[in-house]
Amino acid sequence: MHRRRFLTLTTGLLGAPSVLRAAEDDTLKLRALYAKDGGFSDLARDLEGKGLTVEGYMAPPLKADSTFFVLTKIPMSVCPFCETEAEWPDDILAVYTRRVYKVAPFNRRINVSGTLSLGSYRDPDTGFLSLVRIEQARYSYA
Amino acid sequence: MTGHAQKLEVSSLTVTGDGGRRLLCVDSLTIAAGSAVVVRGPSGAGKSTFLYALAGMIAPETGQIRWGETDIAPLPEPARAAFRRRNMGFVFQEHLVFEELSAPENAAIAALYSGRADRGRIRDRAAAELARLGLDGVGTRRSDTFSGGERQRIAVARALAGGPGIILADEPTASLDRDNADRLARDLVTLARTEGRTLIAVSHDPALHERADRLIDIVDGRLLEAADG
Amino acid sequence: MDEIYHALPNWAQDVLVTLGLLTPLLVVGLIVLRGFHVGPLLLGLLRRQVWISAVFTALIAVSVALGTGLIAQERGLRQGTARAADKFDLVIAAPGSEITAMLAAVYLQPSDLPLLDGATYAEIAAHPRVSLVAPLGFGDSWRDAPVVGTTAGFVDHLSEGLAAGRPFTAEDEAIAGARVALEIGDSFAPAHGVGDAAEHGAHGDFAYRVVGKMPMTGSPWDRALMVPIESVWSVHGLANGHGPDWDGDIGPPFSPAHFPGTPAALVRAESLGATYSLQAEFSTAQTMAFFPGSVLARLHALMGDIRQVMSVLAVITQVLVTAGVLAGLMMLTRLLARRLALLRALGAPRRFVFALTWSYAATLILTGAAIGLLLGIAASFAIAAAITARTDIVVAATLGWPEIHLVAGFVSLTGLLALLPAYLTMTRPVITDLRG
Ligand SMILES: Nc1ncnc2c1ncn2[C@@H]1O[C@H](COP(=O)(O)OP(=O)(O)O)[C@@H](O)[C@H]1O
Ligand SMILES: [Mg+2]
């Protein structure tokens, strides 16, 4: 508990804007990982290879019974007005879970914990490229 | 752990059965250590009840059963069982052996529930007693392949395997034919005497009566000393 | 604690959970059996009561098999159906039921779908973020094999390279799925419709020639014949998708004005984000775009819920059967009462008799559970084979950790329950039992 507060404090001092942090503990917002120009943020570079928790929404899965899903910053909704093509794919995060996961409703906020991995990676199964990933992940409802 | 022969002193003993029926009433009885005593009496007189009480298998209502220094009457069941395990060998009327086990396994049954330190000794002694009773070299045959006489000898070996100072036998020859009964009666008394054990046997068998140091009659749950005691 | 657990690899977590579930049994076993050597009498007991023991064990085994088979089967089905849908990222069809469209496009179930028109198809094909689009034209068949009109690009995507032969290049050429009873060089005439309603000869004397063979995909497409979409349109007397200035090469591009329609189109996008945005973009009044994986995941969730209810029933069955067996055991120990009393008369501690009866019950439970686990897997093998034979979806039955956890939990729980009959035998009066 103390350790946790200490971590939050030091990362705060290191310059990560504290507004990017969730109200309590060290859950990150998705956009904290991206810089304005679409690249990785400094925080993301700091956390590369380390454990972290990111909050977001599970996009409807492309595959059933898989260990891969896409985390989005807002619900990947059936609302055709709030999603413009331009926003894709900068605010999404590829999540590789350690076990076959249960699909969460697209409008439930979830916290994904795992190891941050940066750099381009082409999934051998789906053929899709990703730049930022959380690996060895598990999720819980926020 | 070999027990030595122990003197028995019984006083004001009463045993009550289901429904408050008085089954046994012994005012006073003393049996010297190392003696061979035979108990007789009509069927239903309370002979088995007497023996079970001496063995601590039933708790008496009142009185004392003092084996050597220990009064087992007030002891709780586990303590009486432990006393029995250390000091007594019991032979039943029917050859009650575990049919699926071999003769050596049956004779050394106490090894299964005794401390690790005693197991080897129990097995060795069981083998020796089987040999003494003429049952050596029977291998691992199941006990239900043995005759009644042989099974009763296995039971005797079992009673002796713990090296007890007290041997109690309830009509041990009753289910045997004449020859086997004679042989068992002789063996029991000799085995008890050679190592100075106290033997108390319930029996109608003259072969045992002849060899006894003392005869006790029970009628209606009361003891009467026999004339030739 | 939590963090250490989450730092472990999956297998270590599973082993740990198994051990955790078995711990109560192990602890109880160690305490109950400490200092005793019940082996010979236990074997004697089992031999003496061999039939009763066998029946009790079988009852436990069957009830455990029910529970484990259910879990293994559901997982096999999930994996099999998911694998069969692997190649179908995004399907666009005319608005209607996603499930019907998925069953038709992915699992080739006969169904009556409305058509996407040429303009819509052209719009999809022209979209900059689309890397592959292919029409899927169902409706014809040969014997029990569906004949699907599509493009060579789709066949390549689905098969990741043919097992033999070459792609189709003319309207009368066809590619056969791995399990179709046609070889390269064989000819077949398509029938209009599928199954008993198929009209043979409806397409005149048109015949296809097989020029290539697909590798196994573990999906219903193994039983399908893939032909140029142009030929499907042609044999139905429609335009063949190309205008008057057609150069004669089959496949895209198609002319919107001469495009008779397709019940569904498979779409593959250049990236993950593109896949999602295409789905959003083509969810319109004229088109329905969906991820078969998502639809399947919803069905799986439903299946999982049903399985959970059935699992609860299976667990109740297991517990009831075990309770019955333990009750039977109590009656059995009455039969054994004389032998147990004899042991106590000889001076055996009460705890020894307790240990003997408990280890007897534990032996039946452990043996029954182990047999039940194997039986459950065997049963799900049989069911998996039947499902594969019927649907061509390869369903594999395997022994997984959830089954092992279920059995470990069951064994521990019932092992603890077995303390009760063991306790009851311990408290029986020695002399009453001995006198018989
Ligand atoms: N638990 C009991 N309750 C009531 N009566 C009993 C009980 N056990 C034995 N009896 C009765 O006590 C009497 C003495 O029994 P027992 O000692 O077996 O006689 P014996 O061995 O001399 O033939 C018998 O009448 C028998 O029926
Ligand atoms: Mg009697």
Side-chain angles (χ1 to χ4, degrees), chain C residues 64-333:
Chain C
V64 168
L66 221 63
T68 53
L70 206 60
I71 299 180
Q73 191 55 46
E74 190 230 5
R75 186 184 48 237
L77 260 179
R78 259 195 291 123
Q79 289 171 346
T81 48
R83 207 178 311 109
D86 247 359
K87 292 285 175 185
F88 296 80
D89 290 346
L90 180 62
V91 169
I92 302 183
S97 152
E98 289 182 353
I99 292 181
T100 308
M102 177 190 71
L103 288 177
V106 179
Y107 302 102
L108 296 178
Q109 296 297 306
S111 50
D112 200 11
L113 293 179
L115 301 180
L116 282 178
D117 61 26
T120 312
Y121 187 87
E123 194 189 330
I124 302 168
H127 197 286
R129 305 189 77 171
V130 167
S131 63
L132 171 74
V133 57
L136 300 172
F138 324 105
D140 286 353
S141 66
W142 174 75
R143 300 201 185 153
D144 58 350
V147 172
V148 185
T150 182
T151 63
F154 172 78
V155 176
D156 184 55
H157 169 65
L158 188 62
S159 63
E160 296 180 350
L162 292 176
R166 56 169 178 83
F168 49 64
T169 52
E171 280 201 34
D172 61 349
E173 292 180 342
I175 305 294
R179 289 153 69 107
V180 176
L182 286 172
E183 294 309 319
I184 293 174
D186 290 347
S187 290
F188 67 93
H192 183 66
V194 181
D196 293 335
E199 293 169 50
H200 299 276
H203 296 321
D205 48 11
F206 184 81
Y208 291 103
R209 199 163 46 83
V210 176
V211 297
K213 196 98 178 158
M214 291 239 298
M216 283 289 266
T217 63
S219 75
W221 288 83
D222 289 342
R223 192 81 74 189
L225 289 154
M226 281 136 278
V227 300
I229 184 79
E230 289 90 342
S231 65
V232 175
W233 287 324
S234 298
V235 298
H236 288 86
L238 304 164
N240 77 346
H242 301 282
D245 50 350
W246 181 38
D247 60 2
D249 283 350
I250 58 161
F254 297 105
S255 151
H258 302 90
F259 188 96
T262 178
L266 170 98
V267 176
R268 179 130 172 104
E270 41 145 31
S271 75
L272 205 50
T275 310
Y276 279 101
S277 62
L278 282 172
Q279 193 268 334
E281 214 172 313
F282 285 100
S283 295
T284 66
Q286 285 78 42
T287 54
M288 168 177 77
F290 65 96
F291 308 125
S294 280
V295 177
L296 194 55
R298 287 209 302 274
L299 290 180
H300 283 175
L302 191 65
M303 191 163 81
D305 289 346
I306 296 171
R307 199 267 299 152
Q308 232 152 34
V309 172
M310 283 169 55
S311 276
V312 170
L313 292 181
V315 166
I316 292 174
T317 314
Q318 279 173 36
V319 171
L320 282 181
V321 164
T322 310
V325 165
L326 292 178
L329 224 55
M330 281 192 230
M331 287 187 265
L332 185 63
T333 48

Side-chain angles (χ1 to χ4, degrees), chain A residues 69-82:
Chain A
F69 68 84
V70 169
L71 192 71
T72 61
K73 115 190 129 170
I74 51 170
M76 159 68 199
S77 52
V78 275
C79 154
F81 312 109
C82 38

Side-chain angles (χ1 to χ4, degrees), chain B residues 43-44 46-49 52 93 170-171 202, chain C residues 435:
Chain B
S43 180
K47 305 181 295 294
S48 295
T49 306
Y52 294 152
Q93 171 173 354
D170 193 359
E171 313 205 29
V202 170
Chain C
R435 288 192 201 248

Side-chain angles (χ1 to χ4, degrees), chain A residues 60-61 63 65 98-99 126, chain C residues 8 10 78 86 89 276 294:
Chain A
K63 307 283 174 215
D65 205 56
R98 54 188 303 164
R99 292 170 188 275
T126 63
Chain C
L8 291 173
N10 283 355
R78 259 195 291 123
D86 247 359
D89 290 346
Y276 279 101
S294 280

Side-chain angles (χ1 to χ4, degrees), chain B residues 30 33 45 62 68 76 81 103 105 117 125-126 142 169 172 185 206:
Chain B
T30 304
T62 62
E105 281 175 321
R125 199 187 285 269
R142 284 167 56 117

Side-chain angles (χ1 to χ4, degrees), chain B residues 49 52 57-58 77-78 81 84-85 92 94 96 98-101 105 109 112-113 119 123 142 158, chain C residues 35-37 40-41 44-45 47-48 338-339 342-350 352 430-431 434-435:
Chain B
T49 306
Y52 294 152
M57 292 185 214
I58 20 183
E77 206 269 356
R84 200 153 63 233
R85 188 156 68 242
F92 298 92
E94 293 152 282
L96 283 176
F98 296 97
E99 286 94 342
E100 319 79 39
L101 302 188
E105 281 175 321
I109 198 84
L112 303 183
Y113 48 79
R119 284 180 196 164
R123 293 211 173 90
R142 284 167 56 117
R158 177 177 68 193
Chain C
F36 294 143
H37 188 50
L41 280 169
L45 221 60
R47 247 180 282 161
R48 193 184 175 85
R338 191 133 195 242
R339 304 156 63 74
L342 171 61
L343 280 170
R344 288 179 59 196
L346 292 174
R350 288 195 296 194
F352 180 74
V430 179
I431 295 305
L434 197 60
R435 288 192 201 248

